[in-house]
Amino acid sequence: MLEEVENWLSRRSWSVTDRPRSRLVTAKRASGARVSVVLPALDEQETVGQIVTVIREELMRGPVPLVDELVVVDSGSRDRTAEVAAAAGARVVHRDSILPRLPAVPGKGEVLWRSLLVTSGDIVCFVDADLREFSADFVAGIVGPLLTEPDVQFVKAMYDRPLGTGAGGEQGGRVTELMARPLLNMHWPLLAGFVQPLGGEYAARRSLLERLPFPVGYGVELGLLVDALHTVGLDALAQVDVGVRRHRHQDGRALGRMAAAIYRTAQLRLARGHLLRPELTQFERGDRGFEPRTYRVDTEERPPIGGIAEYAARRVA
């Protein structure tokens, strides 16, 4: 590991317990910063309500709430996700109603990019909507450094990811270990210190997010992390240990598609010239043996939101 990364780990890696919530509230009062939490959601009726409830009850009450705004962006759920989230107290916005002149494409990154148009916080915190046994520490932990450290601009959560239910068992994060971590260590070694580079829980200053392109699909986390490094430098990035993350795990084929999108995102950043064919063929056993299934790999990226006319007009208004 580079000496610069070792130094970064000692200065920019914290635990959620390092900043009691009372300290965060004091810092928020002094700064006047507004905090928005965004939950991108697709068919998450089983978990989204509990996440919204915890955030509202623990972080949005009192004379100086830590969270000012909680928005669930539904990207076309076929279940009761929107209804459950609204009943729990979130503001629910459908992806397709945001920036309707630009047809939406499927993908998590698309939802995160559009969410900047319907939130107002100076600090924007993204949280996946499939988390189980959710703790408010996931939000307080990653928002904390942005309230107390003026030089920090982007914060990722780090945590254990048990693959099963037993303690000390196999860890999840298979795409991280088999794809993202090798890519980062070889091509962006300054990012080698991030424990969960693909984690869906992170917070950033809006002023930074306005300057970053957003890959529309699974590559959004790697893309934002790499681009944040190039935009503001390693010392402006940080990570916070928030404990244990439990969520729904994907099957092997879904992980393969995720890995392909992440590789494509890295490839775009390594060389804007010749690109490999953006498709992935996988195999499933059918009535006639193994049958190929070919999927398109996410290739589109949304430009920095700061250059979108509707976003600029909203800020002027």
Side-chain angles (χ1 to χ4, degrees):
M1 183 176 290
L2 297 175
E3 182 178 356
E4 185 175 353
V5 177
E6 292 182 347
N7 292 335
W8 175 83
L9 281 168
S10 66
R11 291 181 292 102
R12 291 294 191 239
S13 291
W14 294 290
S15 167
V16 65
T17 58
D18 292 334
R19 294 177 177 82
R21 291 185 196 172
S22 58
R23 178 186 171 193
L24 300 185
V25 168
T26 299
K28 185 172 183 291
R29 181 190 293 115
S31 69
R34 282 178 53 81
V35 176
S36 298
V37 175
V38 173
L39 274 65
L42 177 63
D43 296 331
E44 303 295 356
Q45 66 177 16
E46 301 299 326
T47 51
V48 70
Q50 193 252 349
I51 297 172
V52 170
T53 297
V54 169
I55 293 173
R56 283 183 54 81
E57 291 184 352
E58 296 191 31
L59 301 178
M60 299 185 73
R61 294 184 175 178
V64 184
L66 190 60
V67 172
D68 302 282
E69 182 178 43
L70 175 56
V71 179
V72 172
V73 183
D74 184 14
S75 57
S77 296
R78 293 163 296 180
D79 64 4
R80 298 176 58 250
T81 291
E83 179 182 342
V84 170
R91 176 160 66 96
V92 179
V93 183
H94 195 282
R95 175 200 62 197
D96 295 348
S97 70
I98 307 170
L99 199 61
R101 73 166 175 85
L102 192 65
V105 296
K108 178 184 178 182
E110 177 83 351
V111 174
L112 301 185
W113 183 75
R114 288 176 185 259
S115 76
L116 297 177
L117 278 156
V118 294
T119 54
S120 59
D122 308 289
I123 295 169
V124 182
C125 175
F126 299 123
V127 176
D128 282 349
D130 67 342
L131 302 189
R132 303 181 184 278
E133 302 175 28
F134 178 76
S135 167
D137 285 347
F138 274 78
V139 173
I142 56 180
V143 167
L146 295 166
L147 292 172
T148 61
E149 307 289 334
D151 295 335
V152 171
Q153 298 200 44
F154 187 97
V155 183
K156 296 278 294 189
M158 56 178 168
Y159 33 69
D160 291 312
R161 293 182 64 183
L163 193 57
T165 57
E170 183 181 357
Q171 290 286 304
R174 289 159 287 175
V175 175
T176 293
E177 299 303 328
L178 296 175
M179 175 60 71
R181 201 176 306 285
L183 279 172
L184 292 175
N185 275 262
M186 288 187 290
H187 298 296
W188 296 281
L190 288 177
L191 297 175
F194 276 92
V195 176
Q196 296 291 353
L198 299 185
E201 291 68 50
Y202 48 101
R205 300 193 190 279
R206 179 178 291 270
S207 57
L208 172 60
L209 294 174
E210 290 172 343
R211 302 160 62 191
L212 302 180
F214 277 59
V216 299
Y218 286 129
V220 64
E221 273 81 31
L222 183 134
L224 289 178
L225 186 60
V226 169
D227 292 341
L229 172 68
H230 290 310
T231 303
V232 294
L234 181 62
D235 202 51
L237 314 183
Q239 60 185 349
V240 176
D241 186 349
V242 297
V244 179
R245 183 187 199 267
R246 301 184 187 278
H247 64 111
R248 183 184 68 249
H249 292 281
Q250 304 277 1
D251 64 29
R253 285 186 291 271
L255 294 177
R257 296 190 290 274
M258 185 182 300
I262 289 164
Y263 177 76
R264 170 71 170 187
T265 300
Q267 184 190 36
L268 285 168
R269 280 150 180 77
L270 288 168
R272 294 285 175 174
H274 175 69
L275 297 175
L276 300 180
R277 179 172 59 97
E279 293 181 348
L280 174 72
T281 298
Q282 298 176 315
F283 293 88
E284 299 178 17
R285 184 180 288 280
D287 296 336
R288 294 175 295 178
F290 286 105
E291 300 176 358
R293 299 285 189 273
T294 299
Y295 301 88
R296 290 189 61 191
V297 175
D298 298 316
T299 60
E300 189 170 352
E301 296 195 5
R302 295 303 191 189
I305 196 76
I308 299 298
E310 289 87 342
Y311 187 84
R314 188 196 70 154
R315 298 197 70 180
V316 171

